[in-house]
Amino acid sequence: MIEVICNDRLGKKIRVKCLPDDTIGDFKKLVASQIGTAPEKIILKKSYTTFKDHITLADYEIHNGMSLELYYA
């Protein structure tokens, strides 16, 4: 179990517990349940990399305590 921090830079900073084998799509569903936004409207980025829904967190080398940028489409 890992904990990833998502910050939208508009005042929402949430901590999400997930597994490294979860896909980005699964992770977006967890984030959406905490902030009350549809998962299709969420975009996750780290610097200039936009994460794709079908790739796992472990493949992107996202580990415990890492911070991701949260954007809304």
Side-chain angles (χ1 to χ4, degrees):
M1 199 67 135
I2 62 173
E3 186 175 72
V4 180
I5 301 163
C6 292
N7 190 354
D8 70 351
R9 310 239 186 249
L10 297 172
K12 283 190 183 162
K13 188 173 184 181
I14 60 169
R15 296 175 179 268
V16 182
K17 293 194 182 285
C18 57
L19 297 172
D21 295 334
D22 288 347
T23 62
I24 295 293
D26 296 337
F27 184 73
K28 283 183 181 180
K29 290 176 188 173
L30 293 172
V31 171
S33 68
Q34 285 193 14
I35 63 173
T37 305
E40 301 83 33
K41 302 271 182 187
I42 294 174
I43 300 170
L44 295 171
K45 291 185 179 182
K46 180 70 176 177
S47 66
Y48 294 105
T49 304
T50 302
F51 298 125
K52 309 256 187 249
D53 285 351
H54 64 281
I55 300 176
T56 64
L57 296 172
D59 289 340
Y60 277 122
E61 297 180 0
I62 297 172
H63 28 283
N64 194 25
M66 202 161 174
S67 182
L68 301 178
E69 300 163 7
L70 178 64
Y71 295 95
Y72 304 105

